[in-house]
């Protein structure tokens, strides 16, 4: 009896899930799948699997012991196999772009079904399979059995890939490289690509493989191949009231429209660049649409309100209300656009709303790295390799609900992970970021390293959190990636792997330099602070000698050499231009991290220049006073306080951050010799002080550029000294009545500078509270 009981128990226990072995699978394709997807999807599956396994799956009409079937949800059967169907409404596999994956096991073998609602459903179902396969030379397996269905949350999921001189890598790509990148993005749910056909350049990129006019047509053909929408970004940078130029522009558009086998959307930025009133813009776009639909009857026009003032925005919405243009598909929101919630509220429901998020930049951009350490900003720069998966997942969640989707702004492959995160979160806003990174690593690096690589990507994002010198995780991340590098030599030529290694080495080298060079500066400042009239020249000479050890006795030279090697590898593998002189990047702001890898992280350049000024002063007292100011710049003495207002490690009393990331200056093409703290600023910082001595007099000193409209506890103070030039001082006496409670709050009013470019706005860089 007891034996019988155990036998029954074993029968009722669930069998362990067995993986579906696809090593010898045969692909069967439904003839009802439209061309070209009937060819594109199986070709994508065969080629991507062959790259990773060395095995080429066969395509047949008869199937085999294991069969992979591509079918539409409207199919009843495919070559004698009944298509699994479900009853019900609102099923994912019946929605646009949706798919269902299901396994069937019977006496004749195993069938894995990819059932798409439409052509794109087949593409994205195939992409899901590729992301989830366990592939290597010995296996081709899918954890099974499988029963799932999925459809995208947002209909627009795209990325701008501009084949232009401005890009830091795309301009070096061949058609084959674009084809592969289209495919990679499609595998992760992308359904749109945006080109830039008319962006005028001073001269063509030296990296172009074919002329831009030809590449734009090839990009259109690739969109047709992968059934992606082809968007084009087409600004106008002349006055539309110029009839001759307007006519020529329309003719240029018309010729381009005729040349494209596929064209779905024209995106016209109202500003950035451009400076036309919507009165002229809307009439121009209406005329464009008349030409557009002759070549592409279903294509539509989009506009952004970037750079529009209040009157122009109101004009636009009044135009919609009065004219109800059917040629306009919707509005795009990008940098310098009105708030997205406001746009969706004011925009009539029959028009769509698309986001144009900047995934490519780190500073001076729409979504800056908050409190980014100045050492990174000065060396990695605006377009560094920048995996920011958790940050951008949060940004997507914040704004996506106001939109019908996005097409991102990108100037190179350095933001590859950010693109994948946005595509995946636009498909499923609830998808866990760790799962996305695991999918990414499994597909691009292999299943054996997937979890570790995903963790390593997250760690690289954490490298950018908080003050760099205090972030010991940078060294741990470096050790982690160095171990991965040594245990996976097979990935040496994988450009995505190269980019992640580059960041691990670069971050570590920068942190080590920062600690070393800042330590040298502290020693130099001690010498200057203790200088007297008898030894001033000797003090300056000794201080510079100490500071210049950074150049003469550099540290971690092996890391520096590795960074140079990785930059060379990335130029070879993907055309990434990390240097202006060496790899012909368009300019120093376009990802030229190699050119800044040794940019000073102490003030040795500035001090060398200051010492020349000191030596030109007339009296010994002037000279000594200036040396003491320099030596005590960051150490004003007991009871006094100093803040470098936008440096995370040197601004403990600052409560604000600069949300638009204009807080890192860009002077002299990034090679400014200005004091480092001067290159870090805010426009209207706020600071809180406590533990003040109620019986003592305090002076507030400010360094910055332009105006500084200071308030203490809400009271506007009149300055004693008010120099507006850079690196000069403004000073105010704090009334004793405001310090009686032992604390004060310091704020700055925004000066009226709407007539100035944002780069020319007033800046506050250093703030002292000096106890007298």
């Amino acid at each position: 009896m007891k034996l019988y009981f155990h036998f029954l128990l074993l029968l009722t226990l669930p069998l362990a899930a067995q993986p579906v072995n696809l090593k010898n699978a045969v692909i069967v394709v439904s003839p009802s799948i439209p061309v070209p997807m009937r060819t594109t999807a199986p070709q994508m599956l065969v080629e991507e699997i062959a790259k990773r396994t060395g095995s080429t799956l066969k395509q047949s009409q008869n199937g085999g012991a294991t069969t992979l079937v591509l079918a539409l949800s409207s199919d009843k059967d495919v070559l004698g196999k009944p298509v699994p169907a479900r009853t019900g409404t609102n099923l994912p596999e019946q929605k646009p772009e949706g798919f269902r994956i299901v396994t069937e096991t019977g006496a004749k073998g195993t069938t894995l079904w990819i059932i798409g609602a439409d052509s794109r459903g087949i593409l994205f179902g195939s992409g899901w399979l590729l992301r989830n396969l366990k592939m290597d030379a010995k296996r081709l397996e899918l954890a099974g059995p499988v029963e799932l269905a999925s459809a995208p949350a947002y209909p627009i999921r795209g990325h701008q890939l501009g084949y232009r001189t401005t890009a830091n890598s795309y301009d070096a790509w061949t058609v084959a490289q674009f084809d592969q990148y289209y495919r990679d993005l499609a595998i992760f749910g992308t359904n749109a690509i945006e080109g830039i056909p008319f962006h005028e350049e001073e001269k063509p990129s030296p990296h172009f493989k074919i002329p831009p006019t030809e590449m734009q047509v090839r990009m259109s053909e690739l969109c047709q191949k992968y059934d992606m929408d082809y968007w084009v970004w087409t600004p106008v940078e002349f006055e539309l009231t110029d009839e001759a130029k307007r006519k020529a522009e329309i003719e240029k558009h018309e010729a381009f429209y005729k040349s494209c086998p596929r064209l779905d959307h024209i995106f016209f930025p109202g500003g950035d660049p451009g400076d036309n009133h919507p009165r002229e813009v809307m009439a121009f776009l209406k005329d464009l649409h008349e030409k557009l639909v002759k070549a592409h009857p279903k294509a539509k026009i989009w506009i952004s309100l970037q750079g529009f003032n209040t009157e122009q925005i109101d004009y636009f919405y009044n135009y919609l209300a009065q004219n109800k243009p059917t040629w306009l598909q919707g509005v795009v929101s990008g940098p310098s656009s009105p708030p997205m919630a406001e746009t969706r509220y004011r925009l009539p429901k029959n028009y769509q709303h698309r986001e144009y998020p900047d995934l490519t930049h780190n500073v001076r951009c729409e979504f800056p790295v908050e409190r980014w350490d100045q050492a990174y900003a000065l060396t990695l720069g605006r377009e560094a390799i920048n995996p920011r998966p958790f940050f951008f997942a949060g940004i997507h969640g914040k704004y996506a609900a106001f939109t019908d989707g996005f097409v991102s702004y990108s100037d190179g492959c350095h933001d590859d992970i950010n693109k994948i995160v946005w595509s995946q979160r636009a498909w499923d806003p609830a998808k866990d970021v760790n799962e996305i990174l695991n999918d990414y690593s499994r597909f691009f690096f292999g299943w054996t390293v997937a979890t570790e690589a995903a963790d390593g990507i997250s760690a690289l994002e954490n490298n950018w959190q908080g003050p760099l010198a205090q972030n010991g995780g940078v060294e741990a991340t470096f050790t982690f990636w160095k171990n991965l590098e040594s245990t996976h030599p097979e990935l040496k030529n994988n450009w995505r792997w190269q980019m992640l290694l580059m960041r691990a080495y670069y971050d570590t080298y920068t942190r080590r330099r920062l600690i070393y060079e800042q330590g040298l500066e502290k020693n130099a400042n001690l010498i200057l602070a203790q200088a007297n009239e008898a030894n001033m020249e000797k003090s300056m000479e000794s201080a510079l000698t100490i500071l210049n050890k950074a150049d003469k006795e550099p540290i971690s030279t092996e890391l520096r050499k590795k960074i140079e090697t990785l930059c060379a590898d990335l130029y070879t593998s993907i055309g990434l231009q990390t240097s202006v002189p060496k790899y012909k990047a368009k300019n120093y702001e376009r990802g030229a991290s190699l050119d800044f890898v040794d940019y000073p992280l102490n003030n040795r350049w500035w001090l060398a220049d200051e010492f020349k000024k000191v030596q030109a002063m007339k009296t010994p007292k002037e000279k000594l006073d200036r040396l003491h100011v320099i030596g005590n710049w960051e150490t004003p003495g007991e009871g006094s306080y100093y803040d470098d207002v936008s440096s995370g490690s040197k601004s403990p009393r600052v409560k604000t951050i600069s949300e638009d990331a204009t807080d890192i200056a860009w002077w002299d093409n990034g090679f400014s010799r200005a004091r480092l703290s001067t290159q870090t600023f805010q426009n209207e910082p706020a600071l809180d002080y406590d533990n003040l001595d109620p019986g003592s007099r305090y002076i507030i000193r400010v360094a910055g550029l332009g105006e500084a409209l200071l308030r203490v506890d809400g009271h506007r103070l009149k300055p004693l000294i008010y120099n507006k030039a850079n690196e000069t001082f403004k000073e105010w006496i704090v009334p004793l009545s405001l310090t009686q409670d032992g604390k004060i709050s310091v704020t700055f009013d925004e000066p009226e500078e709407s007539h100035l470019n944002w780069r020319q706005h007033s800046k506050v860089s250093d703030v002292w509270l000096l106890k007298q």
Side-chain angles (χ1 to χ4, degrees):
M1 183 69 177
K2 187 178 292 186
L3 290 174
Y4 178 66
F5 171 79
H6 282 296
F7 177 69
L8 287 177
L9 180 62
L10 289 170
L11 285 177
T12 58
L13 286 174
L15 294 175
Q18 294 296 311
V20 180
N21 184 354
L22 298 173
K23 190 75 173 177
N24 299 306
V26 174
I27 299 177
V28 174
V29 181
S30 168
S32 62
I33 296 173
V35 173
M37 193 55 65
R38 193 188 311 162
T39 301
T40 299
Q43 179 186 13
M44 181 176 79
L45 287 166
V46 168
E47 291 179 353
E48 296 304 319
I49 288 171
K51 289 175 189 176
R52 292 158 175 81
T53 66
S55 300
T56 302
L57 300 188
K58 303 300 182 184
Q59 189 171 333
S60 169
Q61 295 184 345
N62 301 318
T66 304
T67 307
L68 172 57
V69 183
L70 308 183
L72 295 175
S73 58
S74 57
D75 288 330
K76 299 301 181 184
D77 65 79
V78 177
L79 304 175
K81 288 182 177 287
V83 177
R86 299 191 296 171
T87 58
T89 58
N90 208 33
L91 297 173
E93 64 267 32
Q94 296 173 355
K95 296 178 180 179
E97 303 185 320
F99 62 85
R100 182 182 175 208
I101 310 288
V102 59
T103 51
E104 289 184 329
T105 302
K108 294 183 179 181
T110 299
T111 302
L112 174 62
W113 293 88
I114 299 176
I115 306 168
D118 48 28
S119 179
R120 286 183 177 174
I122 297 295
L123 178 70
F124 298 131
S126 300
W128 181 94
L129 177 62
L130 287 169
R131 298 198 312 267
N132 286 275
L133 284 171
K134 183 181 286 188
M135 295 185 275
D136 60 31
K138 297 180 180 179
R139 75 199 73 207
L140 178 59
E141 296 176 350
L142 178 67
V146 180
E147 172 59 80
L148 68 89
S150 184
Y154 292 92
I156 305 171
R157 306 178 306 282
H159 302 285
Q160 187 183 84
L161 309 179
Y163 186 73
R164 57 176 182 161
T165 306
T166 304
N168 64 34
S169 50
Y170 301 143
D171 56 336
W173 286 11
T174 63
V175 175
Q177 285 175 303
F178 272 109
D179 189 328
Q180 183 63 54
Y181 203 53
Y182 275 51
R183 178 184 291 184
D184 292 345
L185 292 173
I187 286 167
F188 284 85
T190 298
N191 70 356
I193 297 296
E194 187 166 80
I196 302 178
F198 306 135
H199 193 222
E200 301 295 336
E201 307 279 5
E202 301 109 19
K203 57 182 179 180
S205 168
H207 306 289
F208 283 154
K209 299 299 186 290
I210 61 175
T213 51
E214 183 181 346
M215 184 61 86
Q216 293 302 324
V217 176
R218 302 288 85 78
M219 292 176 75
S220 172
E221 292 171 350
L222 290 173
C223 281
Q224 190 173 49
K225 174 180 177 180
Y226 290 100
D227 194 16
M228 291 179 167
D229 282 1
Y230 187 39
W231 293 66
V232 288
W233 180 80
T234 59
V236 164
E237 299 185 60
F238 61 86
E239 294 294 330
L240 283 169
T241 51
D242 186 322
E243 288 299 327
K245 289 184 178 179
R246 187 182 190 276
K247 181 175 182 294
E249 186 74 10
I250 289 177
E251 290 174 352
K252 182 171 68 173
H253 273 254
E254 185 175 20
F256 172 70
Y257 299 162
K258 290 178 180 178
S259 72
C260 291
R262 176 164 188 161
L263 185 58
D264 301 276
H265 305 279
I266 307 298
F267 165 29
F268 181 93
D272 194 21
D275 189 26
N276 283 287
H277 194 281
R279 181 187 309 107
E280 283 75 40
V281 169
M282 299 306 281
F284 173 73
L285 294 181
K286 183 179 180 181
D287 290 348
L288 277 188
H289 186 257
E290 291 178 1
K291 305 295 184 182
L292 176 63
V293 293
K294 290 179 181 179
H296 304 279
K298 295 182 179 180
K300 296 288 185 178
I301 303 283
W302 295 67
I303 185 175
S304 74
L305 310 185
Q306 292 170 271
F308 281 8
N309 61 32
T310 301
E311 181 274 328
Q312 292 170 327
I313 293 169
D314 289 343
Y315 179 94
F316 170 75
Y317 285 114
N318 288 333
Y319 180 95
L320 295 189
Q322 294 171 14
N323 296 277
K324 299 179 174 57
T326 56
W327 51 263
L328 184 70
Q329 183 73 8
V331 168
V332 176
S333 285
S336 304
S337 288
M340 292 183 56
E342 174 189 314
T343 299
R344 183 63 274 177
Y345 175 77
R346 295 190 69 177
L347 189 64
K349 291 183 179 179
N350 56 303
Y351 295 106
Q352 288 184 293
H353 183 206
R354 191 207 101 182
E355 191 172 0
Y356 184 36
D358 180 354
L359 309 185
T360 211
H361 294 130
N362 310 312
V363 293
R364 297 179 293 281
C365 61
E366 183 180 20
F367 302 122
V369 182
E370 291 184 355
R371 297 187 182 277
W372 207 24
D373 193 282
Q374 187 188 43
Y376 282 140
L378 295 174
T379 56
L380 278 169
R382 194 174 186 230
E383 279 181 11
I385 297 161
N386 63 348
R388 301 168 66 191
F390 288 90
F391 174 83
F392 276 120
I395 291 295
H396 180 267
K398 183 176 181 179
Y399 296 112
F402 301 112
T403 74
D404 297 283
F406 75 95
V407 178
S408 76
Y409 173 66
S410 169
D411 263 329
C413 58
H414 64 285
D415 57 17
D416 181 64
I417 288 173
N418 304 334
K419 293 191 190 85
I420 298 300
V421 168
W422 269 68
S423 292
Q424 284 284 279
R425 293 283 281 215
W427 185 285
D428 178 5
K431 187 166 184 179
D432 181 71
V433 177
N434 291 302
E435 184 182 352
I436 295 172
L437 296 180
N438 268 280
D439 286 356
Y440 180 94
S441 300
R442 185 186 307 109
F443 181 68
F444 292 120
F445 305 141
W447 70 274
T448 59
V449 71
T451 301
E452 290 178 295
D455 291 342
I457 293 168
S458 299
L460 288 175
E461 183 172 20
N462 289 332
N463 277 5
W464 285 5
Q465 304 302 309
L468 176 55
Q470 300 167 25
N471 187 352
V474 172
E475 287 283 353
T477 299
F478 174 62
T479 301
F480 185 86
W481 273 105
K482 199 171 181 182
N483 180 61
L484 286 181
E485 179 186 20
S486 64
T487 54
H488 293 279
E490 74 279 5
L491 294 170
K492 182 180 185 296
N493 296 320
N494 182 310
W495 65 266
R496 291 178 168 93
W497 190 257
Q498 292 168 347
M499 287 203 304
L500 298 171
L501 286 176
M502 166 74 167
R503 268 288 312 283
Y505 276 90
Y506 202 109
D507 291 358
T508 306
Y509 179 64
T510 303
R511 181 173 184 269
R512 292 181 185 178
R513 276 208 312 124
L514 175 66
I515 294 170
Y516 174 51
E517 294 182 19
Q518 292 277 307
L520 295 176
E521 183 164 357
K522 287 180 181 179
N523 293 333
N525 284 337
L526 283 173
I527 292 173
L528 297 176
Q530 296 169 6
N532 55 51
E533 289 189 8
N535 67 3
M536 287 189 294
E537 288 294 331
K538 182 65 174 176
S539 295
M540 288 188 283
E541 181 182 339
S542 297
L544 269 185
T545 298
I546 290 172
L547 286 167
N548 287 333
K549 284 183 179 180
D551 297 318
K552 294 180 179 180
E553 301 174 19
I555 63 165
S556 298
T557 54
E558 73 285 357
L559 269 65
R560 175 67 174 79
K561 291 177 183 177
K562 180 67 173 185
I563 290 166
E564 190 133 4
T565 298
L566 285 166
C567 287
D569 292 343
L570 282 161
Y571 182 70
T572 299
S573 63
I574 203 67
L576 187 66
Q577 300 137 38
T578 54
S579 170
V580 172
K582 195 166 188 177
Y583 300 121
K584 302 298 184 290
K586 183 186 177 184
N587 60 49
Y588 289 100
E589 207 168 8
R590 294 292 174 180
S593 299
L594 181 59
D595 293 336
F596 297 101
V597 67
D598 293 317
Y599 184 86
L601 298 180
N602 63 25
N603 285 299
R604 58 187 183 274
W605 287 2
W606 178 75
L607 277 170
D609 295 343
E610 285 298 304
F611 289 166
K612 291 177 182 177
K613 296 176 186 177
V614 169
Q615 289 165 341
M617 291 177 177
K618 295 181 180 179
T619 68
K621 184 179 185 306
E622 286 180 290
K623 294 179 180 181
L624 188 61
D625 286 347
R626 182 57 179 169
L627 290 182
H628 286 170
V629 167
I630 293 170
N632 293 307
W633 191 286
E634 297 184 9
T635 53
E638 186 176 354
S640 296
Y641 304 93
Y642 166 76
D643 287 272
D644 178 351
V645 299
S646 204
S647 172
S649 61
K650 298 179 181 179
S651 57
R653 284 156 288 277
V654 178
K655 305 303 176 184
T656 49
I657 62 172
S658 181
E659 293 184 355
D660 59 3
T662 60
D663 59 347
I664 303 294
W666 181 253
W667 300 325
D668 302 323
N669 280 326
F671 294 99
S672 173
R673 296 177 67 89
R675 183 177 176 87
L676 297 186
S677 64
T678 307
Q679 299 182 53
T680 311
F681 54 83
Q682 290 188 30
N683 299 112
E684 298 95 40
L687 303 89
D688 288 344
Y689 298 87
D690 54 20
N691 296 319
L692 303 184
D693 180 359
S696 295
R697 173 72 71 188
Y698 289 89
I699 286 178
I700 294 175
R701 177 185 292 165
V702 168
L705 182 67
E707 305 289 348
L709 308 180
L710 180 138
R711 291 181 184 270
V712 176
D713 290 346
H715 300 276
R716 182 79 163 270
L717 302 187
K718 292 184 178 180
L720 291 174
I721 302 171
Y722 203 75
N723 296 306
K724 294 185 180 182
N726 210 18
E727 296 180 357
T728 60
F729 298 147
K730 305 174 181 70
E731 290 186 355
W732 297 259
I733 295 177
V734 180
L736 286 171
S737 60
L738 299 180
T739 58
Q740 293 307 297
D741 60 356
K743 57 185 180 181
I744 59 172
S745 293
V746 174
T747 56
F748 294 82
D749 293 343
E750 181 181 4
E752 170 46 49
E753 296 176 326
S754 59
H755 59 291
L756 298 176
N757 179 275
W758 58 268
R759 294 178 185 267
Q760 299 172 309
H761 287 182
S762 295
K763 301 166 176 60
V764 174
S765 57
D766 307 76
V767 178
W768 294 261
L769 183 65
L770 303 173
K771 184 179 180 181
Q772 301 303 294

